[in-house]
């Protein structure tokens, strides 16, 4: 032994071995959705060496009495953030070794109510029908918040039938659940929309377009049907049987199922019937008058002259229109007196 030392010694770094003891420590075992907590991994190898901090990973999975959902509790840089209500097992794992066999259990509870969601089983009903309604309070993470007192805000044309919405007036309506005893503006309110559709038609009325007391020959006449259900809602596009024209004298043509042209003067009746129930019908009468009225002056005679400078002359005569009738006659702009004879 000379006492000489190597001037360039070799450095040997000793790392901890495989962990034989692992303990997962969380900052809190009861966490509110949206909040965070820490997780710490502690362990040692068979020689009592503490496992280095950079040699750990954290595994999170639903587990326990009320398992949550995958990714309902997420970990990043040894911090846990709660998203979905439930229970979760949190276990430290050595990068190339064992996993904690007794993981920490974190229970995630819902937060304060933030939004109220209105849900209807169907977004439409027939007049007089109903659809179930659900009111759900949620925290900011979308977790259900039970036991929040709520009521339903809706238009006057709607009503509650137990836990369902009903109505008889056709239209589109917004329905929303609201807090029963708290300020509405403290919540995000998500309404639902329901459309009430007309029911089966039970009545029929037809009108003429344009609306006139009589029509000329070769004028286009349109039949406008109005079918209504038992609640007096207009039923659009109600199917009709072919429209019946009386008398069927061949002096007309139907350019479409609801438009007609008449070629000769006369009185006609148009009858429409529902295809779904032909016993439901309506009839409208119309006058076709293509010729002007006739007017005959019987006094004074043609060519007569006024004698003795009379200030006025009495005019008499006949006016006739066999189809449309005579409502008024004007002489020099003044209404004449009419007599049936």
């Amino acid at each position: 032994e000379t006492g000489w030392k190597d001037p360039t010694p070799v450095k040997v770094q000793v790392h901890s071995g495989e962990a034989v003891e692992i303990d997962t420590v969380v900052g809190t075992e009861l966490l509110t959705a949206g909040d965070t907590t820490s997780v710490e991994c502690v362990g040692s190898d068979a020689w009592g060496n503490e496992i280095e901090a950079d040699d750990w990973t954290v595994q999170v999975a639903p587990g326990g009495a009320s398992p949550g959902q995958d990714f309902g509790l997420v970990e990043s840089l040894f911090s846990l953030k709660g998203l979905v209500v439930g229970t979760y097992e949190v276990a430290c794992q050595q990068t190339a070794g064992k996993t904690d066999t007794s993981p920490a259990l974190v229970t995630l509870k819902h937060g304060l109510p933030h939004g109220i969601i209105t849900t209807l089983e169907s977004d439409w009903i027939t007049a007089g029908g109903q659809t179930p309604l659900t009111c759900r309070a949620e925290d900011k993470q979308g977790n259900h918040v039970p036991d929040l007192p709520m009521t339903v805000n809706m238009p006057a044309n709607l009503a509650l039938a137990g836990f369902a919405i009903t109505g008889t007036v056709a239209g589109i309506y917004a329905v929303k659940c609201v807090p029963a005893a708290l300020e509405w503006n403290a919540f995000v309110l998500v309404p639902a929309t329901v459309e009430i559709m007309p029911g089966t038609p039970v009545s029929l009325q037809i009108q003429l377009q344009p609306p006139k007391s009589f029509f000329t020959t070769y004028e286009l006449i349109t039949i406008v049907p109005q079918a209504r259900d038992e609640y007096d809602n207009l039923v659009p596009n109600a199917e009709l049987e072919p429209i019946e024209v009386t008398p069927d004298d061949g002096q007309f043509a139907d350019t479409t199922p609801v438009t007609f042209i008449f070629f000769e003067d006369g009185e006609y009746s148009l009858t429409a019937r529902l295809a779904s129930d032909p016993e439901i019908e309506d009839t409208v009468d119309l006058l076709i008058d293509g010729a002007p009225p006739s007017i005959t002056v019987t006094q004074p005679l043609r060519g007569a002259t006024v004698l003795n400078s009379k200030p006025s002359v009495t005019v008499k005569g006949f006016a006739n229109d066999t189809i449309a009738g005579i409502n008024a006659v004007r002489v020099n702009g003044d209404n004449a007196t009419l007599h049936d004879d």
Side-chain angles (χ1 to χ4, degrees):
E1 202 178 295
T2 63
W4 183 82
K5 293 182 180 180
D6 186 348
T8 58
V10 177
K11 294 183 179 180
V12 177
Q13 186 173 4
V14 179
H15 294 278
S16 58
E18 183 178 351
V20 295
E21 292 185 4
I22 301 175
D23 189 20
T24 305
V25 181
V26 294
T28 179
E29 295 181 345
L30 181 61
L31 190 63
T32 300
D35 290 349
T36 60
T37 190
S38 62
V39 57
E40 181 182 4
C41 297
V42 179
S44 58
D45 61 14
W47 296 273
N49 297 302
E50 185 176 336
I51 307 301
E52 289 87 349
D54 60 358
D55 198 19
W56 293 112
T57 59
V58 178
Q59 306 296 322
V60 179
S66 302
Q69 300 179 5
D70 289 338
F71 307 107
L73 181 67
V74 294
E75 183 271 340
S76 177
L77 301 177
F78 297 94
S79 177
L80 300 172
K81 182 172 183 176
L83 300 176
V84 181
V85 167
T87 51
Y88 298 86
E89 292 180 347
V90 181
C92 292
Q93 179 184 22
Q94 193 177 15
T95 302
K98 298 178 179 179
T99 302
D100 189 354
T101 56
S102 57
L105 188 66
V106 175
T107 299
L108 185 62
K109 65 178 183 177
H110 64 76
L112 294 174
H114 173 72
I116 298 178
I117 314 299
T118 306
T119 304
L120 296 173
E121 186 173 290
S122 174
D123 59 3
W124 70 273
I125 59 174
T126 302
Q130 56 184 247
T131 183
L133 166 78
T134 302
C135 296
R136 174 185 169 92
E138 296 181 349
D139 63 15
K140 285 187 176 182
Q141 309 303 321
N143 296 294
H144 180 216
V145 180
D147 304 326
L148 177 69
M150 289 178 281
T151 186
V152 180
N153 177 264
M154 58 189 173
N157 285 340
L158 299 182
L160 278 176
F163 293 98
I165 292 292
T166 186
T168 59
V169 180
I172 300 176
Y173 303 95
V175 181
K176 61 182 175 183
C177 301
V178 297
L182 298 172
E183 293 293 332
W184 294 9
N185 58 13
F187 298 83
V188 175
L189 303 178
V190 181
T193 300
V194 62
E195 181 175 7
I196 298 181
M197 308 289 288
T200 302
V202 297
S203 67
L204 176 65
Q205 182 181 23
I206 58 175
Q207 297 177 347
L208 300 177
Q209 186 66 34
K212 299 167 61 176
S213 57
F214 67 92
F215 299 84
T216 62
T217 53
Y218 294 92
E219 182 176 359
L220 186 66
I221 304 171
T222 301
I223 306 302
V224 181
Q226 291 188 340
R228 295 184 179 274
D229 66 9
E230 62 179 308
Y231 301 106
D232 202 37
N233 295 303
L234 186 64
V235 181
N237 304 318
E239 186 176 354
L240 301 177
E241 290 195 337
I243 294 176
E244 178 183 323
V245 180
T246 306
D248 188 359
D249 56 7
Q251 296 301 316
F252 64 88
D254 51 343
T255 58
T256 74
V258 292
T259 55
F260 294 84
I261 292 176
F262 290 82
F263 308 132
E264 297 291 340
D265 290 359
E267 300 181 9
Y268 293 88
S269 295
L270 302 179
T271 301
R273 298 180 177 88
L274 288 175
S276 60
D277 186 353
E279 293 185 0
I280 300 176
E281 63 177 39
D282 189 32
T283 299
V284 63
D285 297 326
L286 74 155
L287 301 176
I288 303 299
D289 188 4
S294 63
I295 298 178
T296 302
V297 177
T298 59
Q299 181 182 333
L301 296 175
R302 182 182 296 272
T305 59
V306 178
L307 300 178
N308 301 325
S309 300
K310 296 180 62 176
S312 63
V313 176
T314 300
V315 177
K316 294 183 179 181
F318 296 94
N320 184 55
D321 191 319
T322 58
I323 301 297
I326 300 296
N327 290 326
V329 175
R330 294 178 181 273
V331 178
N332 292 335
D334 296 327
N335 287 328
T337 301
L338 300 180
H339 302 281
D340 292 340
D341 56 356

